[in-house]
Amino acid sequence: MTPSSSRPRVLQNLRLMPALEARLASAFDMHRLTDEADPKAFLAAHGAAFTGLVTSAAVGVDAALIDALPKLRVISSFGVGLDKLDLAAAQRRGIAVGYTPDVLNDCVADLAFGLMLDAARGLSAADRYVRRGAWLGAGTPASAPFPLGRKVSGARLGIVGLGRIGSTIARRASGFDMSVRYHNRRPVEGAPWPHEPSLLALAEWADYLVIIAAGGAGTRHLVDAEVLDALGPRGFLINVSRGSVIDEAALVRALVDKRIAGAGLDVFEHEPQVPQELLALDNVVLLPHIASGTVETRQAMADRVFDNLQLFLSEGRLVSAAPPPAG
Ligand code: DGY
């Protein structure tokens, strides 16, 4: 490590966008743990030097890393998901945790609609059909015409998890003349859409079931074989939250057996691994976890990561503080 400067020392446990790394380095004495050949030995020798830590929703922070940083005061995480952050360990030490909610609502909601339209109308499959030259021979015995899709406008949209992003998705749905219902453990005060206390009943009712509930132990495999069967052969499943919310093995079986009409998936249980069986299926759209991945939104997230860190280290407060751990 470079000799100590008067600037706060901040560790990062991942590579960040170059512009964010440059901005952080202009204000703090930054160090990348991933550059260390032996991170454990590095932490044992230098862990006490750091007061800040930058991470992401995808990489997260466990209790072992928090323990290895005895002077840590603040964690600033890139992303809205908290399922990989050990909030309880941070809370026990009085460490503040900042994250980046709100700024990604629009892009995640947009992508949910992208997946709905793609799964229902077969955009990706139709693109593959054109590229392989099948359109040229359409109607001949060698090539069937591209199959008809299903209508999104006017359909029934069930939302699982009516938080900030879920509400944004619900508002988008009015532009598609969809009827909306949602499932949360409790009704959301002031929400204009009907609350459905039973997830099974919501799945039975919906043409499109969009999952945007937070990940973590409380929602693990919330969508199981029974929910998929309730959605049924005319229903589509869209997941823009966390792979863990769905029993992925049950989903693979439902798609292979066509017990649901199709799925649009931005997230998986063991990213970046995608179940092999899904790769050959045309009734599922597979994306590499890109819901917040636009230039504008990633910039806004980067700004929030910086602002959380700077505000905490200068004034002891955060722009966006993570909620306390559940339970
Ligand atoms: C988030 O912000 O939580 C995204 O899903 C990236 O993990």
Side-chain angles (χ1 to χ4, degrees):
M1 280 216 312
T2 50
S4 165
S5 72
S6 57
R7 302 187 310 166
R9 276 211 156 126
V10 175
L11 188 69
Q12 59 187 80
N13 67 346
L14 74 168
R15 274 190 169 272
L16 295 158
M17 291 159 52
L20 175 57
E21 292 207 345
R23 191 168 179 213
L24 288 166
S26 72
F28 309 111
D29 195 347
M30 296 300 299
H31 195 91
R32 224 192 264 132
L33 188 58
T34 44
D35 287 348
E36 293 303 323
D38 186 346
K40 259 195 179 159
F42 173 84
L43 288 170
H46 303 290
F50 296 98
T51 50
L53 174 68
V54 177
T55 188
S56 74
V59 171
V61 181
D62 60 13
L65 179 54
I66 291 175
D67 285 350
L69 303 169
K71 301 268 171 58
L72 188 64
R73 297 173 52 214
V74 58
I75 296 170
S76 182
S77 180
F78 188 105
V80 71
L82 298 170
D83 48 316
K84 290 198 174 161
L85 270 61
D86 194 331
L87 295 178
Q91 191 182 49
R92 280 196 295 276
R93 287 260 311 277
I95 297 165
V97 180
Y99 71 144
T100 70
D102 293 318
V103 294
L104 40 60
N105 297 351
D106 282 336
C107 280
V108 179
D110 292 352
L111 197 90
F113 272 89
L115 281 171
M116 242 183 281
L117 289 164
D118 195 338
R121 302 296 306 275
L123 306 186
S124 297
D127 177 87
R128 291 192 290 274
Y129 177 87
V130 171
R131 285 172 199 264
R132 68 173 177 263
W135 195 18
L136 295 170
T140 66
S143 178
F146 191 73
L148 298 181
R150 295 286 304 281
K151 192 171 172 184
V152 173
S153 288
R156 294 169 167 189
L157 174 62
I159 297 176
V160 180
L162 196 81
R164 300 175 178 93
I165 302 173
S167 304
T168 309
I169 293 171
R171 285 196 298 276
R172 297 272 188 289
S174 68
F176 283 83
D177 301 320
M178 300 178 94
S179 21
V180 175
R181 294 183 189 177
Y182 72 95
H183 170 77
N184 271 35
R185 252 174 263 167
R186 278 173 290 280
V188 176
E189 220 184 295
W193 308 282
H195 174 246
E196 175 50 77
S198 154
L199 175 54
L200 276 181
L202 185 74
E204 245 166 49
W205 172 83
D207 300 307
Y208 298 90
L209 190 67
V210 174
I211 313 304
I212 185 59
T219 56
R220 187 170 182 277
H221 289 189
L222 182 67
V223 175
D224 57 12
E226 211 184 344
V227 173
L228 294 169
D229 283 335
L231 186 60
R234 290 171 57 84
F236 292 86
L237 181 80
I238 307 298
N239 191 4
V240 284
S241 65
R242 285 293 182 265
S244 60
V245 182
I246 296 178
D247 178 343
E248 198 167 85
L251 175 60
V252 169
R253 282 195 301 278
L255 285 165
V256 169
D257 299 345
K258 302 208 168 26
R259 293 195 338 270
I260 62 169
L265 308 174
D266 186 43
V267 289
F268 300 87
E269 257 193 289
H270 308 290
E271 294 174 13
Q273 304 300 327
V274 173
Q276 193 65 26
E277 299 95 313
L278 297 185
L279 302 182
L281 297 181
D282 259 354
N283 60 349
V284 59
V285 179
L286 308 168
L287 300 184
H289 202 148
I290 55 166
S292 67
T294 63
V295 171
E296 296 85 349
T297 288
R298 289 285 164 87
Q299 183 61 53
M301 292 165 74
D303 290 347
R304 188 62 55 88
V305 166
F306 181 88
D307 292 347
N308 274 333
L309 195 59
Q310 191 184 45
L311 199 64
F312 190 86
L313 290 173
S314 59
E315 295 178 26
R317 60 194 178 91
L318 294 159
V319 183
S320 306

